[in-house]
Amino acid sequence: MGKALIIGAGGVGRVVAHKCAQNPDVFEEILIASRTKEKCDQLKKELDGGKTKVHTAKVDADNTEELISLINDFKPGIVINVALPYQDLTIMDACLATGTDYLDTANYEPPEIPKFEYKWQWAYKERYEKAGITAILGCGFDPGVTGVFTAYAQKHYFDEIHYIDILDCNAGDHGYPFATNFNPEINIREITAPGLYWENGEWIETKPLEIKRTYNFPEIGNMDIYLLHHEEIESLAKNIKGVKRIRFWMTFSQKYLTHLQVLQNVGMTSIEPIEFEGKLIQPLKFLKAVLPDPATLGPKTKGKTNIGCIFRGVKDGKPRDYYVYNVCDHQECYREVGSQAVSYTAGVPAMIGAMMVLTGKWKKPGVFNVEELDPDPFMDALNKNGLPWKESFTPDILD
Ligand code: NDP
């Protein structure tokens, strides 16, 4: 049926490529393109012999002209951007220039400013509408499935959603004293930033990791969770009418936080360039280079993730609670695609989002966050593609 260009061959790119190849009726051909071509070639080696035809290429995704010529040569139906958030705008520009649909899993963040916001990508709305092409923003798990869960709750269970708590639990253990489960630079920038949540039409800022609770996660048990700012809060606050509060929570172990505190205290998490042996370097980039590559954590990581949303609101004049979540096992993911569950839970939804566009279910001109689109076919595809979800109408509630 279609062709997809996958940009990025890291932890998430690996999952997207494998999952596209598991759906050859939709993805007849894929081109995996990234900065390091060897990583793309390795994936091709693993996937060759299946029904999906696999190609590889080297590309610098910071260079729009290079991207345009790659897209013009391959003529994909969609570009799946699983490089880094810094490349979102150059790739969106190339899609606009070539009239190609676009999908990503993380919103744009200028490399020199640690602040993610949708404003830069939402600014493409009219140009995408005029060009008659689709952009799907933030289609991993969180953001991504969390938005689909919200649209599903809104469509089937609520007249009005008042409170949303998004809970991201990783109870996996990789055996290292300190490592991040996805790109360290992105991960550490996210965690060391002030916390933010949305309440009664306003953003409330907290100190980094200031608000802590404990939650009893289904299939995992009690875990400490911390309030963080996360990008889907911004789009959900805009798209879910009547919502009063949206918060995002993530689990961290005490060991992880102690390491992070030390690294922060000595200046290793800073993005301010410093001079070292005659060269300007960003301490955080250097830290990334010495930490374990997240792509190598797969074989070592044991345990489960649980990511979901708790909704409180009203239906037919009565209060209602609803919790929908997915539990994923690190080792099962690794056996299937060679990646741990953090990459798996981001890569599967990216493939499904691309499938929704290529099959016409999410194909309309403009720039969209996932909660603006029909959740039903996506929820069905999650069950069929390795991320089955469960629901409860009597969840534990966070104060
Ligand atoms: P990795 O660092 O493992 O992979 C990034 C890939 O992009 C690498 O292959 C890298 O190449 C490539 N890349 C980086 N810069 C360029 C460039 N200028 N040109 C071409 N290729 C480039 O990251 P992850 O796979 O963990 O994450 C990928 C994306 O997914 C990130 O944006 C991340 O924020 C997002 N994400 C989203 C989640 C969600 O649930 N929504 C969850 C987890 C991640 P090289 O191999 O040479 O370094």
Side-chain angles (χ1 to χ4, degrees), residues 7-14 33-37 39-40 58-63 81-88 104-107 138-145 168 181-184 186-187 190 230-231 288 293-295 307 342-343 345-347 349:
I7 303 183
V12 180
R14 151 170 290 279
S34 191
R35 184 168 55 188
T36 310
K37 184 162 177 284
K39 290 191 190 169
C40 310
K58 177 175 170 58
V59 74
D60 175 5
D62 291 319
N63 183 327
N81 167 16
V82 278
L84 297 179
Y86 318 126
Q87 280 88 47
D88 287 2
D104 68 31
T105 66
N107 71 6
C139 196
F141 206 107
D142 44 342
V145 177
D168 180 333
N181 289 295
F182 67 96
N183 187 291
I186 309 292
N187 189 220
E190 182 173 276
H230 224 243
E231 58 201 59
K288 178 181 183 230
D293 177 351
I307 320 176
V342 175
S343 303
T345 52

Side-chain angles (χ1 to χ4, degrees), residues 273-377:
I274 54 147
E275 198 175 320
F276 179 72
E277 295 188 343
K279 258 181 108 173
L280 276 182
I281 60 164
Q282 258 186 24
L284 182 56
K285 283 223 160 87
F286 180 76
L287 177 63
K288 178 181 183 230
V290 294
L291 286 176
D293 177 351
T296 64
L297 299 178
K300 295 178 191 280
T301 309
K302 297 191 177 102
K304 290 180 179 175
T305 61
N306 176 329
I307 320 176
C309 305
I310 301 172
F311 303 99
R312 309 196 81 187
V314 288
K315 178 74 179 170
D316 300 329
K318 289 190 197 123
R320 169 169 275 178
D321 297 340
Y322 176 62
Y323 180 26
V324 55
Y325 60 91
N326 162 263
V327 175
C328 204
D329 183 284
H330 284 288
Q331 292 205 302
E332 277 174 26
C333 298
Y334 185 73
R335 274 193 292 276
E336 185 192 325
V337 298
S339 281
Q340 32 78 353
V342 175
S343 303
Y344 191 90
T345 52
V348 172
M351 178 282 290
I352 294 175
M355 177 189 267
M356 294 296 116
V357 175
L358 285 175
T359 55
K361 297 185 179 80
W362 279 13
K363 172 78 191 137
K364 51 181 184 170
V367 173
F368 301 96
N369 293 93
V370 293
E371 64 271 14
E372 297 176 84
L373 299 150
D374 182 9
D376 291 351

Side-chain angles (χ1 to χ4, degrees), residues 77-197:
I78 188 162
V79 174
I80 305 173
N81 167 16
V82 278
L84 297 179
Y86 318 126
Q87 280 88 47
D88 287 2
L89 303 188
T90 45
I91 300 177
M92 285 185 84
D93 285 334
C95 284
L96 203 49
T98 55
T100 313
D101 295 333
Y102 169 90
L103 177 142
D104 68 31
T105 66
N107 71 6
Y108 177 68
E109 182 171 351
E112 65 288 353
I113 313 169
K115 183 162 174 57
F116 48 83
E117 267 186 90
Y118 276 117
K119 68 174 180 204
W120 292 285
Q121 292 182 273
W122 284 344
Y124 282 73
K125 190 174 167 51
E126 264 183 34
R127 281 174 285 160
Y128 268 62
E129 278 168 0
K130 273 200 193 119
I133 56 173
T134 307
I136 309 286
L137 306 183
C139 196
F141 206 107
D142 44 342
V145 177
T146 50
V148 175
F149 282 171
T150 307
Y152 185 76
Q154 177 76 80
K155 180 170 175 183
H156 297 285
Y157 296 127
F158 290 92
D159 293 328
E160 212 165 74
I161 295 174
H162 293 154
Y163 301 102
I164 305 175
D165 278 301
I166 302 165
L167 278 73
D168 180 333
C169 165
N170 180 7
D173 183 6
H174 42 58
Y176 286 105
F178 184 79
T180 62
N181 289 295
F182 67 96
N183 187 291
E185 199 182 334
I186 309 292
N187 189 220
I188 290 172
R189 279 168 74 131
E190 182 173 276
I191 297 163
T192 54
L196 269 186
Y197 63 99

